[in-house]
């Protein structure tokens, strides 16, 4: 499945066979050209308590498990509604806590999904960021790569960690995104690494972002990243509480309310497959 070109292999463990070593499996099947190829793998599981309808787990293409994934949870909820459970809204257990997916359905097909993304946290201990300060807002960081010497970072958690950097020229960053993005992802101040987003503010209702994801690299879109970017833009006074976020793969609507952030967008079912052992062994 994919959501705005952020592509995931979705595996039904709710009523299907379970994958034993999920880290190793995800690393293998996400290799483009050698296997199926994807930005990550999503597992649908039975929830651990009656507080939830279903459980969501997401592994990046490098095998690391993330707490949450915005594009992934839209794919997941479409799959769950169309094939497993006709529940709407859907209460989803994630490593980041409860996420609620409201589904717009037409002729039994899920067209759009609005997701409650939880309450963002700017606290260094929640993200985490190694700093004496309580929050890491617009802090200067020096870089070693030859293309970008320093950046001003605001760090936020929307369940998973994000570094937001405002720039005027996204295309200049894009030319060397692999070098710049991976340096920031792995800065020692971020002990669990971090997702990196370069943000251009277009006006007080629209932003454009370029993403480098922790454990993946460049992706065409990041739902938690779009949420984090909108939250930071709002906190710094650049945008209002409803923002249209333009990503390389398409647009997402983000709304910031008193109880937390909401993300709305679509998801696409691409194909069903039967995988051969050679695709994930050896
Ligand atoms: N693409 C995702 C985020 C996936 C997880 C991320 N790479 C992490 O490690 O936190 C999204 O749409 O939110």
């Amino acid at each position: 499945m994919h959501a705005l070109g952020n592509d995931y292999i979705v595996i039904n463990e709710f009523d299907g066979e379970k994958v034993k070593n999920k880290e190793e499996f995800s690393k293998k099947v996400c290799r483009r050209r050698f296997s199926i190829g994807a930005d990550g793998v999503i597992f649908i599981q039975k929830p651990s308590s009656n507080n939830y309808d279903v459980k969501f787990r997401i592994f990046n293409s490098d095998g690391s498990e993330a707490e949450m994934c915005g594009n992934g949870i839209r794919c997941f909820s479409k799959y769950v509604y169309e094939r497993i459970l006709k529940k709407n809204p859907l209460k989803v257990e994630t490593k980041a806590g409860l996420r609620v997916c409201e589904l717009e359905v037409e002729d039994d097909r899920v067209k759009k999904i609005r997701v409650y993304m939880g309450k963002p946290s700017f606290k260094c201990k929640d993200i985490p960021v190694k700093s004496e300060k309580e929050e890491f807002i617009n802090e200067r960081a020096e870089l070693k790569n030859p293309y970008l010497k320093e950046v001003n970072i605001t760090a936020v958690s929307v369940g998973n960690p994000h570094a937001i950097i405002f720039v005027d020229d996204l295309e200049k960053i894009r030319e060397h995104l692999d070098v710049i993005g991976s340096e920031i992802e792995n800065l020692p101040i971020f002990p669990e690494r971090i997702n990196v987003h370069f943000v251009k503010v277009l006006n007080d209702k629209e932003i454009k972002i370029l993403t480098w994801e922790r454990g993946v690299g460049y992706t065409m879109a990041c739902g938690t990243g779009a949420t984090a970017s909108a939250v930071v833009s709002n906190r710094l006074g650049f945008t209002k509480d409803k923002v249209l976020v333009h990503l390389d793969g398409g647009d997402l609507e983000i709304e910031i309310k008193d109880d937390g952030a909401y993300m709305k967008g679509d998801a696409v079912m691409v194909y069903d497959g039967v995988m051969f052992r050679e695709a994930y062994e050896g």
Side-chain angles (χ1 to χ4, degrees), residues 135-147:
E135 297 183 335
F136 203 76
I137 311 280
N138 219 7
E139 292 289 335
R140 179 150 303 193
E142 285 180 9
L143 305 176
K144 293 199 174 77
N145 78 79
Y147 310 111

Side-chain angles (χ1 to χ4, degrees), residues 6 8 58 60 64-72 160-162 195 213-216 219 221-225:
N6 192 196
Y8 290 97
I58 149 86
N60 290 314
S64 58
E65 182 168 10
E67 302 83 347
M68 232 307 268
C69 171
N71 289 327
N160 59 345
H162 296 271
N195 296 289
E213 277 192 35
R214 172 178 71 166
V216 189
T219 59
C222 176
T224 50

Side-chain angles (χ1 to χ4, degrees), residues 111-151:
K111 296 289 176 195
K112 286 232 166 163
I113 307 105
R114 182 174 182 259
V115 185
Y116 170 64
M117 298 290 280
K119 245 184 162 353
S121 173
F122 285 93
K123 293 210 172 76
C124 285
K125 66 170 176 41
D126 294 341
I127 298 167
V129 185
K130 275 197 210 155
S131 165
E132 308 280 87
K133 305 203 166 149
E134 205 185 329
E135 297 183 335
F136 203 76
I137 311 280
N138 219 7
E139 292 289 335
R140 179 150 303 193
E142 285 180 9
L143 305 176
K144 293 199 174 77
N145 78 79
Y147 310 111
L148 191 64
K149 289 287 160 211
E150 54 182 32
V151 281

Side-chain angles (χ1 to χ4, degrees), residues 168-217:
D168 289 329
D169 191 347
L170 290 176
E171 295 317 306
K172 244 191 180 157
I173 303 289
R174 190 189 295 277
E175 280 172 32
H176 304 290
L177 183 64
D178 49 349
V179 177
I180 300 169
S182 73
E183 183 176 357
I184 300 170
E185 173 191 357
N186 293 291
L187 282 175
I189 48 171
F190 303 125
E192 291 181 19
R193 301 188 287 159
I194 202 153
N195 296 289
V196 185
H197 311 281
F198 293 91
V199 181
K200 184 174 167 61
V201 178
L202 302 179
N203 54 56
D204 64 6
K205 292 185 198 68
E206 272 174 294
I207 58 175
K208 191 169 162 46
I209 71 174
L210 174 64
T211 287
W212 176 270
E213 277 192 35
R214 172 178 71 166
V216 189

